[in-house]
Amino acid sequence: MSMEAFLSRTSFGLILRVFAQKEADISNRIEMVRELVERAAGVSVFGHRFLKAIDVLVWADNRYESDCGKTTSALRKAVPKKVNGVLVPISEVRHGDLFCGILNHGIGLQSRRGIDYSMIVSPEAFSYLNTETTDQMVFAATKGALAVGVAINELTQSILEGRIANTFAMWHNLSLLTVGGFDLRAAKPIADDRIAEYVRGWHPDKGEVFYQIAGVEEVIPLARLAETYGPCIAPIMPQGEGVQRYVVPDPIKSPELYLRHVSKMGTKLERQSHHLAQIGFDLTYLKGGVMPDYRTV
């Protein structure tokens, strides 16, 4: 299928997750969302407008330490309903965790809007979002990719091995839903240690440490996609001029986001291995799920 034909019958969306635990943080979140929406809405793909909708999802499930309850209304006042012709719906998600539930909700919303492929991008990785990179992501989709991941510098090697991350990824929604979406085995546990699952490890500075087996929600659906459809994962390197970089949250301005970042990166491999083992796969299966044209390792 030619690129023109593909673009004429295919639509794309973007999912953003946001929350402010403290009312004092809302202004920072508004600034972040406005900047990200403007940047994303200005990206084109092969000369065409790229996105149909940018769904901003405010995580507000009160079973967790989620939003303070005032971010949604503040965002709706501050962010236009349409930017550069792109719809920007803002929804409050009151049921579901931050890793799986809110993303499944977003995939459902975008599928209902007639969107075929949904991008999920973390704010820290938005410097990678440009026309050159989206061109290559869409090109991979025309070749049959059902999950496309950008190899950001923090995670380059693992992404090239097929373990794409929702830090910057694009999914074919119907295929993702066919294999069960983001499996709730990887959901963030409710703040109750009686039902949270932990693994013990060791840190050179802290000695024995404990970490929750949650997050890395991508690996189970990736394995299921490869099992169902054959090699369909496409990792791509960042494109375009300049050096894109993953921006680590400021430990002073956003201490809770900084601590989350450190914990997330430090235990990612162990959590990926654990979740894949639960369904009978290991890390090499995702490596085999990479499309031949995109294998570099």
Side-chain angles (χ1 to χ4, degrees):
M1 182 186 301
S2 70
M3 180 61 67
E4 287 292 326
F6 182 80
L7 292 175
S8 70
R9 57 183 292 182
T10 308
S11 60
F12 301 85
L14 174 65
I15 294 171
L16 297 179
R17 292 171 284 180
V18 63
F19 67 101
Q21 291 179 339
K22 302 174 184 176
E23 192 171 344
D25 293 333
I26 292 176
S27 61
N28 289 334
R29 301 298 185 269
I30 289 174
E31 181 181 354
M32 177 191 74
V33 169
R34 292 178 67 170
E35 180 181 344
L36 301 187
V37 165
E38 186 171 339
R39 181 184 181 96
V43 171
S44 63
V45 57
F46 292 100
H48 297 261
R49 181 192 297 163
F50 179 44
L51 297 173
K52 178 177 181 180
I54 301 170
D55 273 283
V56 180
L57 306 181
V58 180
W59 184 46
D61 188 325
N62 60 18
R63 297 175 300 167
Y64 303 86
E65 295 179 351
S66 58
D67 191 70
C68 63
K70 298 184 178 181
T71 304
T72 304
S73 59
L75 281 171
R76 286 174 176 163
K77 291 177 182 177
V79 179
K81 294 181 179 180
K82 185 176 284 190
V83 178
N84 289 341
V86 180
L87 294 173
V88 188
I90 297 170
S91 306
E92 188 170 74
V93 182
R94 298 183 181 182
H95 303 96
D97 76 295
L98 183 62
F99 304 144
C100 301
I102 194 170
L103 291 181
N104 286 334
H105 183 93
I107 295 294
L109 280 179
Q110 296 216 323
S111 296
R112 190 169 66 181
R113 299 188 204 287
I115 290 171
D116 302 290
Y117 292 84
S118 289
M119 295 181 67
I120 300 168
V121 185
S122 294
E124 298 85 359
F126 251 82
S127 66
Y128 293 86
L129 182 60
N130 57 28
T131 294
E132 295 89 344
T133 298
T134 53
D135 279 353
Q136 292 307 308
M137 296 179 82
V138 172
F139 181 67
T142 67
K143 299 176 73 171
L146 304 178
V148 183
V150 176
I152 65 170
N153 62 351
E154 286 273 310
L155 298 168
T156 299
Q157 188 63 27
S158 65
I159 291 171
L160 292 178
E161 293 179 1
R163 305 195 303 278
I164 72 169
N166 279 333
T167 312
F168 199 146
M170 184 173 78
W171 302 82
H172 182 248
N173 289 335
L174 181 57
S175 300
L176 177 61
L177 293 172
T178 298
V179 299
F182 294 109
D183 195 295
L184 295 183
R185 289 180 178 89
K188 181 178 179 64
I190 298 171
D192 185 340
D193 283 347
R194 294 174 301 173
I195 56 176
E197 186 175 8
Y198 288 84
V199 167
R200 290 197 297 184
W202 181 83
H203 187 277
D205 297 324
K206 299 180 181 179
E208 188 175 67
V209 294
F210 296 80
Y211 56 89
Q212 291 181 348
I213 299 295
V216 296
E217 69 281 349
E218 310 91 350
V219 294
I220 290 179
L222 285 170
R224 295 296 191 203
L225 285 170
E227 177 187 36
T228 304
Y229 298 100
C232 59
I233 302 169
I236 65 168
M237 294 299 295
Q239 308 291 315
E241 294 183 2
V243 179
Q244 292 83 20
R245 62 188 181 91
Y246 182 91
V247 181
V248 175
D250 188 297
I252 304 300
K253 293 182 179 178
S254 304
E256 74 283 359
L257 296 180
Y258 176 76
L259 289 173
R260 179 171 173 260
H261 161 78
V262 172
S263 300
K264 177 176 67 176
M265 293 300 182
T267 62
K268 187 174 283 285
L269 179 64
E270 292 84 357
R271 290 179 290 130
Q272 289 174 334
S273 297
H274 178 89
H275 286 312
L276 285 173
Q278 284 188 306
I279 61 169
F281 296 91
D282 68 17
L283 297 176
T284 63
Y285 194 82
L286 298 188
K287 199 171 181 179
V290 174
M291 297 167 67
D293 287 352
Y294 290 88
R295 292 176 184 167
T296 59
V297 292

